[in-house]
Each structure stands twice: as C-alpha cells, then as structure tokens.
Amino acid sequence: MLMRQRKIAIISILLVVGLVVLWRNRYDVAEWIRNALGIEMPVDPRPAGVSDLQWSEQNYKEEIAELASEQGVPYEYLMALIVLECGGEKPAGHRYEKHVFSQLQKVRDGKKKNFEDITTEKLQGFDDEALKNLATSWGPFQIMGYKVISMGVDVSDLRNEEEAALYGVQWIKKEYGHFLDKKKWKDGFHYHNTGERFPLSGRSRTHNKYYVSDGVKYLQYFSKSLTTNRQ
C-alpha cells in the first residue's frame, strides 16, 4: 500500500513538472505542432507576464496618441476601451453576432421595419455574406460592421487593420463624443457596450457587470501614464 502511494506521488510530481515545462515553452511547442502537422496555428506573440494594459500600450500607444490628437478624443479613454474590447491584441480579431445577423436579415427581407437606424432601403443589394460582415465587430474598438453605414464608409474600411482604429475613433466621436467632452466616462463606456448611457439606478446593463468599472480603472492608469510621460 505504501509503495503504491509513493508511485502515485512520484507520478503526480512528474505530471506537475511536465505541465510547468510545457507552459513555459508553450510558444515553442505550438510552433513545433504547427510545423509537424503542416497547418496554420495562431500563436500568441505576447511575452509571458505582459498584462493587457502593457500589451495595449506596446501595440497601440503611438497610433492612438496621434488619432486622439487629430480627432479630439481623449487618449486615456481610447486606450482603456482597447483593453476592454481586444486586450491590446493586434490584429484585434473580430466577433460574429448571430442574433444581429438575424435582425439585419429580417430588415433586408422586409420582415422587420428597422434595426436601430438601419432600414430595408439601406440593406438593398446585401447578400447573406455581406450581412455577416455587418453583424461582426471589427478593429481594436470592436465596432459592429453595420455602424459604419451611417458614416458613409464601407465595412471593408473597418476590417482594414491599417484604418480600423481611425474609423473606430471617428464613430466614437460622432456617436457619443459629447459624453467624453464632459468627462462622463461611465456614460461613454456604457454607451459603447449597450448603446445607452449609464443608468441612473447605478446598475450597469453591460454584458460584463465590471465592464464600466474596469474601464474607469484602466482610464486612470493611462491618464497617469500620460502625465508621467509629459514630465
């Protein structure tokens, strides 16, 4: 019985050690698997120990600082939003919303009068594949594709990695920049996620109940970072 317990203990220790080694070398292991199987396997280029805040600064700091200055939108807010929406990843990736596609499809087919400010007239000529692009969020701010219609640009502009941040900032300024001008940060974060200002009840309606509070915390981080860099 004692011998069996020792064997189990040794196996457990070896297993833990093996998992630690694999984790520390996960990027090399992923690369080896990709090469061995001959398939594309996305490998996270982020170094171990780098936070979303640090990663966002590394990937977007210069670009967002320039856009913030040009468009008159607070740098610290935009950076905080990037952390919330894409964790600083570049390219940011995208997220398809099936329920949004369904609503847009109904509007296009005349089964529904409108979806927000999108009418049947605005969707004429859009096939299902095009609607899927409209029902997908793009760029570092994860702006829904259909949002660009009111801006007079194409969803392909939002999908373009080189221009996604620009059009995202322009949409933010146009849609709810008045909140940011008055430093109503909670309203800004809540509106970006839900289309509504922060409730007077104090109860957030965001998909993640910490979305707004985390956003304010991240904003304070970038605000301090901006102040430090100016000194």
Side-chain angles (χ1 to χ4, degrees):
M1 182 68 177
L2 183 59
M3 183 63 71
R4 182 181 179 185
Q5 290 177 336
R6 287 179 177 175
K7 287 182 178 180
I8 294 175
I10 292 173
I11 292 173
S12 298
I13 292 172
L14 291 174
L15 181 61
V16 171
V17 172
L19 289 173
V20 170
V21 171
L22 283 174
W23 174 252
R24 288 182 175 177
N25 297 278
R26 60 191 182 280
Y27 302 120
D28 292 335
V29 172
E31 181 71 15
W32 180 85
I33 293 175
R34 183 181 69 176
N35 293 333
L37 299 180
I39 60 176
E40 290 294 328
M41 288 185 62
V43 180
D44 185 0
R46 184 191 310 204
V50 175
S51 70
D52 287 354
L53 292 163
Q54 295 168 324
W55 197 231
S56 296
E57 279 191 307
Q58 182 171 324
N59 287 331
Y60 291 99
K61 180 179 180 179
E62 293 183 4
E63 179 181 13
I64 297 305
E66 184 176 347
L67 288 174
S69 177
E70 291 176 353
Q71 302 295 323
V73 180
Y75 165 83
E76 57 269 38
Y77 174 82
L78 295 175
M79 289 298 294
L81 197 58
I82 285 176
V83 178
L84 289 172
E85 292 294 338
C86 73
E89 295 298 334
K90 192 172 187 178
H94 55 273
R95 183 169 57 249
Y96 169 65
E97 303 285 356
K98 187 176 181 180
H99 68 283
V100 174
F101 169 77
S102 178
Q103 293 300 310
L104 292 175
Q105 195 176 44
K106 289 178 181 178
V107 172
R108 182 200 61 187
D109 297 342
K111 298 178 181 179
K112 184 179 175 69
K113 186 176 181 181
N114 66 284
F115 177 68
E116 294 186 15
D117 62 342
I118 303 300
T119 61
T120 301
E121 182 181 2
K122 292 180 179 180
L123 294 180
Q124 292 303 302
F126 283 82
D127 59 18
D128 283 353
E129 193 60 33
L131 289 188
K132 287 181 179 179
N133 285 328
L134 296 180
T136 300
S137 57
W138 306 94
F141 305 110
Q142 291 294 287
I143 306 296
M144 292 300 298
Y146 71 87
K147 296 290 188 179
V148 301
I149 293 179
S150 62
M151 294 174 61
V153 299
D154 192 84
V155 70
S156 61
D157 297 317
L158 197 60
R159 294 176 59 183
N160 187 325
E161 184 183 341
E162 300 300 321
E163 299 180 322
L166 168 62
Y167 289 113
V169 173
Q170 289 180 344
W171 180 83
I172 289 168
K173 180 178 181 178
K174 175 178 178 292
E175 189 72 12
Y176 62 90
H178 55 288
F179 290 140
L180 308 182
D181 291 339
K182 298 176 182 179
K183 297 185 177 182
K184 294 185 176 181
W185 309 128
K186 287 187 175 181
D187 286 333
F189 287 121
H190 199 275
Y191 191 97
H192 191 90
N193 188 254
T194 68
E196 301 175 351
R197 65 183 305 171
F198 193 80
L200 295 176
S201 65
R203 295 182 178 181
S204 178
R205 296 173 185 159
T206 54
H207 72 284
N208 177 345
K209 64 180 181 179
Y210 300 113
Y211 185 93
V212 174
S213 58
D214 282 348
V216 172
K217 180 173 63 177
Y218 300 152
L219 183 146
Q220 292 171 346
Y221 167 88
F222 288 112
S223 181
K224 290 180 181 178
S225 176
L226 187 62
T227 301
T228 301
N229 291 334
R230 286 174 176 172
Q231 293 176 346

